[in-house]
Amino acid sequence: MIRSSLWSRAFDGVNVALLLMFSLGTVLPFIHVIASSFASERLVAETDFLLFPTEFSLKAYQYIFSSDALPRSMGVSVFVTVAGTALNLFMTSLMAYSLSRRTIRFRAPIMFLVVFTMIFQGGLIPDYLVVKELGLLDSYWALMLPRAILPFYLIILINFFKQLPDGLEESARIDGCGDLRLLFRIVLPLSLPALATLTLFYAVMHWNTYMHAILYINDMDKWPIQVLLRQIVLISQAGFVEQGSVEGEASIPPDTVRMAVITVATFPILLVYPFLQKYFASGILLGSVKG
Amino acid sequence: MSHSTISTRHERPVRKRRSALWRDLSRDRWIYILLLPGIAYFILFKYIPMGGVLIAFQDYNAFSGFGGSEWVGFKHFERLFAEPSFYRLLRNTLMLSLYNLVLGFPAPIILALMLNELRMKWLKRSIQTMIYVPHFMSWVVVVTMFFVLFESYDGLFQSWIASLGLDKFTIMMNADWFRPMYILQVLWRDSGWGTVIYLAALAGISPELYEASRMDGASRLRQIWHITLPGIRSTIVILFILKLSDVLDLSFEHIFLLLNAVNRDVADVFDTYVYRVGLLQGQMSYSTAVGLFKGLVGLVLVSFANWFSKKFGEEGIF
């Protein structure tokens, strides 16, 4: 008995140690990047892994905000995130409501066609041609419309609507409530946890959008933040390959500038993260797998 | 003769059935009206591109359009299989997919099992809070962070190998290190988040099973093997099929960001090739054929896994 409990305690100890190592490994790099972005260049060069800026400096931020490229692309990203997420919620909830009704015909074939798009797509070039034929190239619509409904999130919402109590619908029907009223007055207000989850996931998707902007947006003035960040990084990377020969040249953004841009690009996500966190454990995501 | 008698005999019921359908449709008209935007979306942005793969059998050019371009049969596929780069693309795609399946898929399961063994709820929750963070960062940010940590001349990794007495060497811009660094980034970003669904499934296992096995003197490892793992088996199977469905996609964005002149030999996969040949060089039909080949291989993989799973009494995804 004692032996087994000793063994069990050792098991716990190793388990906790490994998990702590992994979690520190995921979080410390962020702290390092944020701390470095606020530190002086000298301190960053001297310290291998900086966790607190003992020599405080805002030079990196002054540099990246000195041109209007960064504020502009942040504006683009904020707009696409807000408008795109609104479109996502509108489209996803309408379709999810219809497909959650028991009386709807052709439900099974429609669901099959939705799921099928998760395992087979036309591919990059046909997607591009459709966006081009619709005249959406270089338009913010190109960042929003092609991803108006994500099948995975649609299924989550359908399953959430389905598990709302049937009695609600019946009594609303008896009171003469039509589908529109039922959706907007009863189903949606009761689905706030699921809608909040979807809002946050869709918003993160839009804020992080990169590939679609590379494909569909050529106009530099319409670049979202991730594309600009990548551009700044590429310039500084070119500097590293030739380390030494071009060291100290003013045109190359130093490390602190890269760190500052990462911080700016991740800040909104870290801001909403505590709210995201609230919904992780709620089991809404599992519903999608079971359904 | 007999044909016509059958049709007259069935005329009435057919009309009746049709009118029942019509009654249903008109009663629920708002349900169908609300469905329309979604249907329009799936047709426009999913099924039209799916039909668009037909340009793989054409010599498509933008001036003649889809209707006016010449049909050429399997010409582009023949070219693809004859291309020396085909085997390189196939090898790279399969190798990275294999890394993803062998390391990327089990990692969240193992992490979830470890988290499930934690007894202190606050510790479990704090660890969850930390390991989910990277998933919400864009690949641009993740790749940049890896450059900062591993490649910066004065950064963590370079200083560390220097302190070991080794020469500093470039690791992110290094073909030999491409695959390990690729999968390290995948694991770092997504294995924590991957635990979410497994933890929800684990929460559904009845505590009585654990109590009963403890009475019987089962050790912790035996409990994991005989109770916990069977309890989440169907979740594992479903997620494995879903994983197969995008395993060949390899998160295109990630590889696109890592790809450079130095590591092209190991990092070039079907998707990056399609982008380069199709959009940058304008060979629309050929690159669509490449994309279609990849898509069909993926579809076959998933269908097979789905069939296999159903045959062995598990649920499939369709």
Side-chain angles (χ1 to χ4, degrees):
Chain A
M1 203 60 205
I2 290 168
R3 234 190 75 186
S4 98
S5 102
L6 250 183
W7 200 91
S8 183
R9 233 177 283 166
F11 178 96
D12 279 333
V14 173
N15 191 23
V16 169
L18 288 175
L19 281 172
L20 278 180
M21 265 164 58
F22 182 72
S23 38
L24 289 180
T26 56
V27 168
L28 287 183
F30 287 103
I31 298 175
H32 168 65
V33 165
I34 295 169
S36 301
S37 74
F38 288 107
S40 70
E41 272 172 53
R42 200 181 58 82
L43 185 67
V44 172
E46 278 174 3
T47 323
D48 297 340
F49 199 77
L50 191 69
L51 290 175
F52 189 78
T54 45
E55 252 180 48
F56 193 76
S57 158
L58 281 176
K59 258 178 82 180
Y61 289 94
Q62 280 164 359
Y63 175 83
I64 60 173
F65 281 106
S66 61
S67 81
D68 55 356
L70 188 68
R72 190 171 50 217
S73 67
M74 282 181 82
V76 170
S77 281
V78 168
F79 171 74
V80 170
T81 303
V82 172
T85 307
L87 181 75
N88 287 140
L89 287 177
F90 179 75
M91 299 281 288
T92 311
S93 18
L94 290 196
M95 193 170 189
Y97 174 78
S98 302
L99 291 175
S100 69
R101 298 295 90 187
R102 276 169 303 143
T103 51
I104 189 176
R105 297 256 184 161
F106 315 117
R107 216 190 98 105
I110 294 174
M111 282 310 289
F112 176 80
L113 290 175
V114 166
V115 172
F116 188 71
T117 63
M118 293 170 83
I119 56 172
F120 185 75
Q121 289 103 22
L124 196 69
I125 303 297
D127 279 352
Y128 173 83
L129 289 176
V130 165
V131 171
K132 190 179 157 209
E133 289 303 314
L134 291 171
L136 298 180
L137 288 186
D138 266 338
S139 137
Y140 296 133
W141 287 112
L143 300 178
M144 302 190 268
L145 283 177
R147 289 197 291 190
I149 301 176
L150 259 62
F152 192 62
Y153 297 159
L154 177 70
I155 294 170
I156 290 175
L157 201 56
I158 292 173
N159 288 332
F160 193 88
F161 286 167
K162 273 204 229 161
Q163 52 89 49
L164 293 173
D166 283 340
L168 279 173
E169 190 196 333
E170 279 156 28
S171 57
R173 293 267 187 225
I174 291 166
D175 292 347
C177 188
D179 277 300
L180 275 185
R181 285 256 301 275
L182 188 65
L183 170 62
F184 287 103
R185 292 286 171 79
I186 295 171
V187 173
L188 288 183
L190 283 173
S191 306
L192 287 182
L195 292 176
T197 312
L198 257 55
T199 305
L200 292 162
F201 285 127
Y202 274 130
V204 169
M205 169 187 91
H206 284 298
W207 182 261
N208 285 340
T209 196
Y210 173 74
M211 212 58 231
H212 280 225
I214 291 285
L215 294 173
Y216 304 139
I217 307 284
N218 284 317
D219 185 352
M220 280 175 70
D221 288 346
K222 292 178 178 167
W223 274 358
I225 180 95
Q226 306 294 339
V227 181
L228 186 77
L229 166 61
R230 177 65 176 171
Q231 213 55 33
I232 293 174
V233 170
L234 282 181
I235 296 167
S236 66
Q237 225 162 273
F240 176 77
V241 179
E242 321 253 317
Q243 186 94 24
S245 60
V246 281
E247 209 170 5
E249 218 168 271
S251 63
I252 297 157
D255 267 353
T256 53
V257 169
R258 279 200 277 180
M259 311 269 198
V261 187
I262 298 181
T263 306
V264 169
T266 53
F267 180 70
I269 291 183
L270 294 177
L271 207 66
V272 298
Y273 186 71
F275 299 99
L276 271 170
Q277 234 264 317
K278 212 176 122 189
Y279 299 102
F280 292 159
S282 61
I284 288 170
L285 293 170
L286 184 69
S288 66
V289 176
K290 281 189 170 160
Chain B
M1 187 62 189
S2 64
H3 190 82
S4 75
T5 33
I6 288 172
S7 75
T8 40
R9 202 188 300 150
H10 279 273
E11 204 167 32
R12 271 163 49 119
V14 164
R15 195 182 292 153
K16 206 180 242 172
R17 216 182 302 140
R18 213 175 268 161
S19 74
L21 171 67
W22 184 245
R23 209 180 46 233
D24 269 15
L25 289 182
S26 80
R27 185 196 58 212
D28 290 337
R29 60 190 174 281
W30 277 105
I31 295 183
Y32 299 100
I33 291 171
L34 293 174
L35 187 62
L36 285 180
I39 297 280
Y41 164 76
F42 275 96
I43 291 175
L44 200 54
F45 290 103
K46 299 288 179 184
Y47 281 91
I48 288 181
M50 240 181 253
V53 299
L54 287 178
I55 66 170
F57 304 97
Q58 288 186 326
D59 267 335
Y60 178 83
N61 69 72
F63 300 107
S64 330
F66 180 69
S69 297
E70 193 192 340
W71 293 90
V72 295
F74 286 91
K75 178 178 130 183
H76 299 296
F77 292 91
E78 282 160 20
R79 176 184 156 195
L80 171 65
F81 300 135
E83 197 90 32
S85 54
F86 173 71
Y87 295 96
R88 194 190 59 183
L89 295 170
L90 189 68
R91 187 195 64 209
N92 292 344
T93 306
L94 289 181
M95 278 306 285
L96 293 179
S97 301
L98 202 66
Y99 271 76
N100 252 320
L101 283 181
V102 172
L103 297 171
F105 183 73
I109 303 177
I110 295 167
L111 265 179
L113 292 177
M114 289 168 74
L115 281 166
N116 195 45
E117 293 299 317
L118 287 182
R119 285 162 191 181
M120 289 163 286
K121 285 284 163 279
W122 63 269
L123 185 63
K124 183 177 169 188
R125 206 161 305 143
S126 336
I127 290 176
Q128 280 175 279
T129 305
M130 290 193 272
I131 65 178
Y132 294 164
V133 173
H135 175 77
F136 295 94
M137 301 303 158
S138 67
W139 277 119
V140 178
V141 165
V142 172
V143 169
T144 308
M145 288 238 271
F146 268 75
F147 266 96
V148 166
L149 292 175
F150 285 88
E151 196 79 353
S152 273
Y153 198 73
D154 306 307
L156 178 68
F157 180 77
Q158 299 294 341
S159 306
W160 180 63
I161 54 173
S163 74
L164 290 180
L166 301 166
D167 285 335
K168 292 185 178 183
F169 69 103
T170 165
I171 184 166
M172 293 293 288
M173 305 277 277
N174 187 329
D176 295 336
W177 283 90
F178 172 76
R179 282 175 190 149
M181 291 312 281
Y182 162 82
I183 196 65
L184 186 64
Q185 288 161 41
V186 171
L187 290 174
W188 183 76
R189 180 179 186 261
D190 288 330
S191 52
W193 175 248
T195 62
V196 166
I197 289 177
Y198 292 114
L199 285 172
L202 285 168
I205 299 176
S206 159
E208 286 166 20
L209 291 173
Y210 292 103
E211 272 159 38
S213 73
R214 208 169 301 134
M215 298 284 198
D216 295 343
S219 72
R220 303 271 292 271
L221 284 177
R222 283 185 76 103
Q223 286 183 344
I224 292 176
W225 186 251
H226 290 292
I227 300 171
T228 315
L229 274 176
I232 58 170
R233 187 176 59 207
S234 58
T235 307
I236 294 178
V237 171
I238 296 268
L239 287 186
F240 186 77
I241 299 174
L242 283 175
K243 178 97 183 174
L244 271 185
S245 73
D246 61 17
V247 75
L248 293 181
D249 294 342
L250 291 164
S251 72
F252 168 42
E253 188 169 308
H254 183 198
I255 296 185
F256 179 80
L257 290 164
L258 289 173
L259 186 67
N260 55 47
V262 186
N263 61 20
R264 174 145 299 151
D265 247 6
V266 285
D268 205 11
V269 293
F270 283 118
D271 282 329
T272 50
Y273 183 71
V274 168
Y275 172 80
R276 202 168 55 247
V277 176
L279 288 188
L280 301 186
Q281 297 171 15
Q283 304 180 44
M284 294 290 187
S285 281
Y286 173 59
S287 56
T288 303
V290 179
L292 180 57
F293 171 74
K294 192 214 73 176
L296 288 177
V297 172
L299 186 60
V300 169
L301 274 180
V302 176
S303 309
F304 180 71
N306 201 55
W307 170 82
F308 199 74
S309 152
K310 279 182 169 171
K311 197 174 155 77
F312 284 87
E314 292 289 341
E315 282 176 77
I317 55 168
F318 54 81

